[in-house]
């Protein structure tokens, strides 16, 4: 007889659960910026995404 094991892990499906948890942690500690991911890094990534999508021809009505 074959023995089966079942593994289960709860998963929040919001997509931003880890970011929200980190923001809450930083605010509780009186921080205005996360030391693990700064606003400068956020801006740089946003600019890279915008540049890449335009180069690939992905356009939005607001463009």
């Amino acid at each position: 007889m074959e023995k089966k094991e079942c593994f289960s892990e709860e998963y929040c499906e919001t997509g931003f659960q880890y970011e929200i948890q980190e923001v809450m942690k930083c605010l509780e500690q009186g921080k205005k910026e996360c030391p693990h991911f700064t606003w400068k890094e956020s801006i740089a990534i946003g600019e890279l995404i915008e540049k890449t999508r335009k180069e690939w021809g992905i356009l939005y009505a607001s463009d």
Side-chain angles (χ1 to χ4, degrees):
M1 183 172 163
E2 183 180 329
K3 182 178 179 182
K4 293 184 179 182
E5 292 184 59
C6 181
F7 296 94
S8 174
E9 185 174 338
E10 198 172 312
Y11 178 74
C12 299
E13 298 175 10
T14 63
F16 290 101
Q17 65 270 20
Y18 302 111
E19 291 85 348
I20 292 167
Q21 289 173 356
E22 186 63 24
V23 167
M24 289 173 54
K25 180 179 156 187
C26 288
L27 292 174
E28 288 170 354
Q29 295 174 358
K31 297 177 182 175
K32 295 182 180 179
E33 179 177 79
C34 174
H36 308 294
F37 196 76
T38 66
W39 65 270
K40 286 183 181 182
E41 291 171 308
S42 296
I43 291 171
I45 289 171
E47 290 172 348
L48 177 62
I49 290 169
E50 285 293 300
K51 179 179 180 270
T52 303
R53 75 171 181 83
K54 288 179 181 177
E55 287 175 0
W56 290 357
I58 301 169
L59 302 174
Y60 299 117
S62 60
D63 286 335

